[in-house]
Amino acid sequence: MDLTIKEIAEVLGSSQTSEQKITNVEFDSRKITTGDLFVPLKGTRDGHEFAAYAQESGAIATLWSEDVSEAPAGLFVFFVSDTKKAFQKLASYYRQKLAPKVLAITGSNGKTTTKDMTEAVLAQKYQTYKTQGNYNNELGLPYTILHMPETTEILVLEMGMDHAGDLTLLSQIGQPDAAAITLIGEAHIESLGSREGIAKGKMEITAGLKKDGVLFIPVDEPLLSPLIRPLNQKVVTFGLKEGMVQAEVLNTTKQSTEFSIDGKNFLIPVIGSYNVKNALVAYSFGHYFGLSNEEIAAGLKNFHLTKDRTQWSKAANGADILSDVYNANPTAMGLVLDSFAELTLPGRKIAVLADMLELGKDSKQMHRQMAKHIGDSLAEVYLYGSDMEALYQVLKDSNKDVFYFTEDRKKEMIEAIKRDIQAQDSVLLKGSNGMGLAEVIIALQEK
């Protein structure tokens, strides 16, 4: 890391003069190594309580917003009024210092997959660094910036939001050269009130977008149309068979999807037309930064998904498991159910669906609407969680085997699934992360 004690002091208005370099910046004291700067943040516990432990682990400096007399001896101390804001300010400075091109990606669904695709594409030509895991909020984004290698030429930032104003802050810290919105769904509708509110929230990604920058948006999202009119930056639309950048899906298998753009064929190692839309964003970023179709195709073909996003694995008895359990909203669940239905697979198709959280007062109705995505190709459906009862009431009298389990019956559900599935079956698991379907996957994999 290319930051000195003196440099940090100048950024934060402190008075240190040492030219000693900082090795890294960490806000988790358990990750501290020799030469690090510790950032104590206030959460369930006050991070200041762990400064001594950070020092023992090798920290040489710390931010400090508590009483001056309580500051740890033996550390370079940067006195600030708010450690989180100071952390964010330091990240903004570091981005300016290294001066990579910055890409920003947001959306109700697909932003992590799109980030992974985009980084893989741009890595064909540039030194790239991307948001690791789901570090996409007011802490994770500055952490990502401060952890990028000094050689980074393009920084790919995933930007998440829970409330109005979140993306304004992240975009102003990141100052993107180009940005993309994958889609407008229902994620966080409880706090944003409506899909219109979500669309406005996603458009905040333009708050820090460079004046000569570009914004990529889905052509089939009418809620964005009135919001882009005041923009001075270039707007490019993408979509399946429509938009300024278009793709046509050619073939889908269990392991991949093939599609074409302007007569050139591409392949991605994931299922679903919705993932082709994500690939269109990566393609657009690639062309924006001068990559050839061949370079883009190589990146897309070999990109690696962040864990728990539409991943295939094996159950202990040989059945195939399609896991998409990191998060869920009606748009995302409908898309993956439709894509699963389109696949030609041996044996039966079984779906295990858990509650979609944070949908607000219309949650039960949104769960009921999933019935239109449960077609004849699904042999059995397991429903789990209090809101999934609404879907069960719709499906229980159908000619399909449907099983419903409350949240206190997870072990019972797991045992039922294990007894039921056969070696030739394929099992889709989809639900919000808070519902713990990852435990079900582990149980199915255990011999």
Side-chain angles (χ1 to χ4, degrees):
M1 176 173 230
D2 188 21
L3 280 176
T4 66
I5 296 293
K6 180 181 179 181
E7 196 174 4
I8 295 170
E10 289 172 350
V11 172
L12 301 180
S14 191
S15 58
Q16 302 290 347
T17 58
S18 172
E19 295 290 350
Q20 186 169 350
K21 277 199 170 186
I22 289 291
T23 306
N24 223 330
V25 179
E26 295 288 349
F27 54 72
D28 186 340
S29 60
R30 296 166 296 184
K31 293 183 178 181
I32 290 288
T33 58
T34 302
D36 286 357
L37 165 67
F38 176 54
V39 180
L41 299 170
K42 294 184 178 181
T44 307
R45 297 279 300 274
D46 189 338
H48 291 82
E49 298 174 21
F50 300 98
Y53 177 78
Q55 186 174 13
E56 291 171 7
S57 300
I60 62 170
T62 186
L63 304 187
W64 197 261
S65 62
E66 295 298 295
D67 194 301
V68 173
S69 64
E70 297 176 1
L75 289 179
F76 293 105
V77 179
F78 304 100
F79 295 103
V80 296
S81 59
D82 186 315
T83 54
K84 183 171 69 174
K85 289 181 178 178
F87 178 50
Q88 294 165 345
K89 185 175 182 180
L90 188 60
S92 293
Y93 168 79
Y94 197 60
R95 172 192 50 74
Q96 286 179 290
K97 179 177 182 177
L98 296 192
K101 294 294 184 181
V102 179
L103 308 186
I105 298 168
T106 193
S108 298
N109 190 57
K111 55 184 174 291
T112 299
T113 300
T114 304
K115 169 203 69 178
D116 293 336
M117 289 179 175
T118 299
E119 190 275 337
V121 165
L122 294 171
Q124 301 298 310
K125 187 173 183 178
Y126 299 99
Q127 292 290 320
T128 61
Y129 187 70
K130 67 179 179 180
T131 300
Q132 303 298 298
N134 64 332
Y135 270 46
N136 62 12
N137 64 8
E138 61 182 357
L139 300 179
L141 184 132
Y143 184 90
T144 297
I145 292 172
L146 287 165
H147 279 248
M148 67 173 157
E150 295 172 34
T151 56
T152 301
E153 296 174 298
I154 295 184
L155 177 63
V156 184
L157 293 175
E158 178 181 335
M159 296 186 178
M161 64 175 288
D162 292 326
H163 304 89
D166 289 352
L167 282 182
T168 294
L169 172 65
L170 299 184
S171 183
Q172 288 173 344
I173 294 172
Q175 295 287 304
D177 297 89
I181 299 172
T182 60
L183 63 76
I184 306 301
E186 302 83 6
H188 309 299
I189 199 167
E190 187 172 24
S191 59
L192 291 159
S194 64
R195 290 188 75 251
E196 289 81 1
I198 293 169
K200 289 179 181 178
K202 297 304 181 187
M203 278 298 294
E204 291 177 17
I205 200 169
T206 62
L209 183 63
K210 300 282 181 61
K211 290 183 179 180
D212 59 349
V214 61
L215 174 68
F216 300 103
I217 63 169
V219 68
D220 56 351
E221 188 44 78
L223 291 175
L224 291 175
S225 297
L227 301 177
I228 63 174
R229 289 179 193 138
L231 286 183
N232 294 317
Q233 295 94 335
K234 183 179 180 180
V235 177
V236 175
T237 59
F238 62 88
L240 300 180
K241 297 185 179 180
E242 57 179 339
M244 298 164 70
V245 183
Q246 301 179 17
E248 180 180 1
V249 178
L250 302 176
N251 186 44
T252 296
T253 70
K254 171 186 162 186
Q255 299 292 352
S256 64
T257 304
E258 189 177 3
F259 60 97
S260 67
I261 303 174
D262 291 333
K264 168 68 178 175
N265 287 8
F266 297 84
L267 184 141
I268 49 177
V270 287
I271 68 167
S273 57
Y274 63 98
N275 275 318
V276 173
K277 289 184 178 181
N278 295 335
L280 278 173
V281 176
Y283 170 91
S284 299
F285 279 133
H287 265 287
Y288 184 73
F289 284 100
L291 273 73
S292 67
N293 280 337
E294 290 70 28
E295 289 170 320
I296 294 171
L300 288 175
K301 183 178 180 179
N302 298 298
F303 92 96
H304 296 287
L305 269 174
T306 296
K307 187 179 179 183
D308 292 331
R309 272 81 170 178
T310 50
Q311 288 183 320
W312 287 100
S313 62
K314 286 283 187 181
N317 72 343
D320 287 317
I321 298 173
L322 180 57
S323 163
D324 193 351
V325 299
Y326 179 75
N327 222 329
N329 59 64
T331 299
M333 186 171 284
L335 288 170
V336 76
L337 279 168
D338 293 345
S339 296
F340 188 57
E342 292 169 2
L343 295 177
T344 301
L345 300 169
R348 301 172 301 164
K349 294 178 185 175
I350 298 169
V352 181
L353 308 177
D355 282 357
M356 301 174 284
L357 304 177
E358 299 180 2
L359 296 182
K361 60 182 176 62
D362 296 323
S363 181
K364 292 189 182 298
Q365 174 61 19
M366 291 181 183
H367 281 77
R368 278 192 289 271
Q369 290 173 352
M370 290 300 100
K372 63 186 178 185
H373 300 285
I374 308 231
D376 294 336
S377 71
L378 283 178
E380 295 179 353
V381 181
Y382 288 82
L383 303 174
Y384 173 64
S386 57
D387 281 355
M388 273 298 168
E389 184 182 8
L391 179 56
Y392 174 70
Q393 294 301 327
V394 178
L395 298 176
K396 67 178 182 178
D397 295 326
S398 66
N399 59 355
K400 194 177 303 296
D401 289 330
V402 184
F403 311 97
Y404 172 65
F405 296 84
T406 52
E407 290 178 50
D408 58 346
R409 297 173 61 204
K410 181 184 283 186
K411 288 184 179 179
E412 185 181 341
M413 180 179 72
I414 289 172
E415 292 306 314
I417 298 170
K418 290 175 77 171
R419 286 192 303 267
D420 180 24
I421 61 172
Q422 301 164 14
Q424 294 300 309
D425 292 341
S426 297
V427 185
L428 165 68
L429 295 100
K430 179 68 177 174
S432 286
N433 189 42
M435 296 303 295
L437 284 187
E439 299 171 33
V440 181
I441 296 167
I442 293 170
L444 296 179
Q445 293 171 336
E446 289 175 347
K447 295 182 179 180

